Amino acid sequence: ACPFDHGGVCETEEKVVRYDNRVIDMLSLRPGETYSYTGLSDAVREKIFDGGKLSDVCGDCEWHGLCESVIAGGK
């Protein structure tokens, strides 16, 4: 259960929308288009993870350090 879910309303919705918009911009996604999971997953890995751009997406998240560690293979 998400600790930020209060009766179906996310108290951090602004931050989530901001992160989503950054990913949309970085991947040049277009509204209304359908994308495959594999294609999106590959694009995220290539352009964001391998490109060292995770901090640009969600650097202010309290879980950012953990995600960076997982991406780096737990190093």
Side-chain angles (χ1 to χ4, degrees), residues 27 29-30 32-45:
L27 301 184
L29 301 177
R30 295 182 304 259
E33 289 291 317
T34 301
Y35 300 92
S36 71
Y37 173 81
T38 302
L40 284 174
S41 180
D42 290 348
V44 166
R45 174 150 312 278

Side-chain angles (χ1 to χ4, degrees), residues 39-58:
L40 284 174
S41 180
D42 290 348
V44 166
R45 174 150 312 278
E46 178 185 315
K47 294 181 179 180
I48 297 175
F49 295 169
D50 294 346
K53 301 290 185 182
L54 188 63
S55 290
D56 294 341
V57 173
C58 54

